[in-house]
Amino acid sequence: MLLKKLALLNYKNFDTQDFEFDTKINCFVGANGIGKTNVLDAIYHLSFGKSYFNPITTQNIKHGEDFFVIDGEFLKNDRDEKVICSVKRGSKKIIKRNGKAYERFSDHIGFLPLVIVSPADRDLITEGSDTRRKFMDGVISQSDKDYLQNLIKYTKVLAQRNSLLKYFAVNNTFDQDTLEVYNEQLHVLGTSIHSKRIAFLEAFIPIFKEQHALISNGVDQISLSYDSKLSQSNLLILLKNALEKDRALQYTSVGIHKDDLNFEIDGYPIKKFGSQGQQKSFLIALKLAQFHFIKTQSQTTPILLLDDIFDKLDESRVSHIVSLVDDSQFGQIFISDTHADRTEKVVKNIHQSYKIFKL
């Protein structure tokens, strides 16, 4: 899959900008704040219908303007595909494929497989479980439509159950029958989601460990594991046992929305015991594993976005990444960097065609 052209109108710091891309490597270079990352984010936007860095859609409209438009021309399976994402203040976001608007944005997820590696990924280590669940769900959803729909349904039922718990508290009442309707729905959806997460990690973890060994020369002993109460008991029992707690808290305290991923190095949490370099290697291995997993599942080579990674890594890790992407397994790559000379030196060592855009 290739992105041939990109046109931006009122997107973040851009008034209007057009790009025509190389089929292999495309580099955006320039000073900080000039918009390099914004171009990568626009490409991400076309794939996922939202920004990677700022999910509040209207905040991606250029200051002083009322709308933005991102227009991309892709080549997928020898067919031209035109995707447009547009937003106007006070109106709903619109995503169109070949002139036809999606009724459900979720139908677009996975059509343009993409992986981004960014300094912002550090949130996966430093932030709470919600960030790690979103990563896991995002990888699975790109190749499993049923999983994504079940996740959307689960989130809706969860919100309804939480509203009911609040209603009970405010009105000093309780209705077991209504609550059990929601419990049953959460159980069915949650069990399916839990099973697919387990199956995903069984396939994903070996790929992740392989990628990490390539980046770090196998020096560190790392592990990735899934933490879920559903591995100990079914959700109906968990919900029943947590009823009094849920009524007191006025929200649902157990379920797949509380699951987490454990990141460890030498048997200890990498957040507390991993150096900055070890954490960076862990995260890049995670993202490269995501790339290979999605490629296998979707039978399409994802676009790879490398945001500012040369500035955040030491030379040895950069050379490892360069050697990894200098491979027929990778397709089109987009790179942002502050130093044009450094970028050109790096991409010249990758024996592929390239284009450099100085912003």
Side-chain angles (χ1 to χ4, degrees):
M1 185 181 75
L2 300 172
L3 174 57
K4 299 194 295 182
K5 295 179 181 179
L6 178 70
L8 306 178
L9 180 61
N10 298 333
Y11 185 70
K12 296 195 175 185
N13 68 317
F14 291 102
D15 291 320
T16 177
Q17 187 80 42
D18 296 293
F19 301 95
E20 195 162 338
F21 296 124
D22 187 87
T23 58
K24 288 303 295 184
I25 299 172
N26 298 275
C27 307
F28 304 96
V29 296
N32 286 322
I34 206 77
K36 305 180 300 296
T37 297
N38 292 346
V39 181
L40 299 191
D41 202 22
I43 299 170
Y44 183 92
H45 222 121
L46 288 174
S47 181
F48 291 92
K50 61 183 179 181
S51 163
Y52 186 69
F53 301 98
N54 189 347
I56 301 173
T57 303
T58 53
Q59 291 182 6
N60 295 299
I61 300 173
K62 189 175 188 297
H63 292 310
E65 302 295 342
D66 292 324
F67 69 95
F68 76 66
V69 180
I70 309 168
D71 186 333
E73 294 182 25
F74 295 82
L75 181 66
K76 183 181 179 184
N77 299 329
D78 298 321
R79 176 179 168 173
D80 288 327
E81 301 280 357
K82 188 177 179 70
V83 176
I84 297 175
C85 183
S86 61
V87 173
K88 186 177 182 181
R89 293 189 195 277
S91 301
K92 287 186 177 181
K93 177 167 49 186
I94 297 171
I95 303 173
K96 290 183 179 179
R97 175 186 165 196
N98 299 327
K100 185 177 180 181
Y102 283 97
E103 290 184 15
R104 300 185 307 181
F105 293 155
S106 59
D107 290 340
H108 181 62
I109 303 301
F111 176 66
L112 302 173
L114 177 148
V115 173
I116 183 169
V117 182
S118 164
D121 296 335
R122 192 164 181 271
D123 288 353
L124 285 166
I125 290 175
T126 60
E127 296 298 318
S129 61
D130 182 55
T131 308
R132 291 179 287 280
R133 278 195 308 277
K134 282 180 179 176
F135 168 75
M136 176 167 53
D137 292 337
V139 180
I140 303 170
S141 295
Q142 284 205 60
S143 56
D144 190 334
K145 293 286 188 187
D146 291 338
Y147 181 87
L148 179 57
Q149 292 307 317
N150 281 344
L151 203 59
I152 292 168
K153 290 174 187 174
Y154 181 94
T155 303
K156 286 180 180 176
V157 175
L158 180 66
Q160 290 168 338
R161 187 180 191 270
N162 289 344
S163 294
L164 186 64
L165 289 167
K166 288 187 178 72
Y167 176 83
F168 290 160
V170 170
N171 294 280
N172 197 25
T173 185
F174 182 68
D175 182 348
Q176 182 73 40
D177 291 341
T178 305
L179 193 68
E180 285 183 356
V181 170
Y182 292 131
N183 289 359
E184 182 63 37
Q185 291 176 344
L186 288 179
H187 169 64
V188 172
L189 294 166
T191 301
S192 173
I193 291 165
H194 178 255
S195 297
K196 288 194 174 185
R197 284 177 177 175
I198 290 174
F200 157 67
L201 287 166
E202 284 176 354
F204 183 81
I205 290 171
I207 304 170
F208 163 67
K209 288 187 173 181
E210 180 186 0
Q211 292 300 314
H212 189 272
L214 289 169
I215 293 169
S216 65
N217 287 323
V219 173
D220 301 314
Q221 293 297 311
I222 49 89
S223 69
L224 168 61
S225 59
Y226 180 34
D227 185 5
S228 174
K229 286 188 177 179
L230 270 74
S231 299
Q232 303 157 11
S233 181
N234 79 54
L235 188 48
L236 279 178
I237 293 172
L238 291 170
L239 289 167
K240 182 180 178 182
N241 292 341
L243 177 58
E244 293 309 312
K245 181 181 180 182
D246 288 359
R247 289 185 67 182
L249 294 171
Q250 299 176 37
Y251 66 80
T252 307
S253 63
V254 293
I256 56 97
H257 61 288
K258 294 293 183 180
D259 293 354
D260 201 355
L261 293 174
N262 297 322
F263 297 163
E264 294 185 342
I265 184 162
D266 298 326
Y268 296 96
I270 197 166
K271 178 180 179 178
K272 291 183 179 179
F273 295 94
S275 68
Q276 281 195 351
Q278 287 170 326
Q279 290 183 2
K280 288 168 185 172
S281 292
F282 192 100
L283 291 169
I284 291 169
L286 206 61
K287 289 307 191 83
L288 292 178
Q290 177 187 0
F291 178 94
H292 289 290
F293 178 85
I294 291 171
K295 181 180 178 182
T296 300
Q297 294 295 314
S298 67
Q299 299 296 304
T300 302
T301 303
I303 288 172
L304 181 62
L305 310 180
L306 302 176
D307 177 36
D308 206 18
I309 64 161
F310 299 144
D311 204 37
K312 307 299 179 185
L313 294 175
D314 57 59
E315 200 167 318
S316 65
R317 285 186 173 86
V318 168
S319 63
H320 274 301
I321 293 167
V322 169
S323 65
L324 289 174
V325 300
D326 187 10
D327 189 302
S328 59
Q329 293 185 69
F330 287 86
Q332 196 177 28
I333 300 170
F334 294 83
I335 298 169
S336 71
D337 191 18
T338 49
H339 297 81
D341 294 343
R342 173 176 60 189
T343 303
E344 190 148 19
K345 181 183 175 184
V346 168
V347 296
K348 277 182 177 176
N349 289 329
I350 306 174
H351 304 104
Q352 307 285 359
S353 61
Y354 67 90
K355 209 169 186 180
I356 293 181
F357 301 87
K358 294 182 179 179
L359 300 179

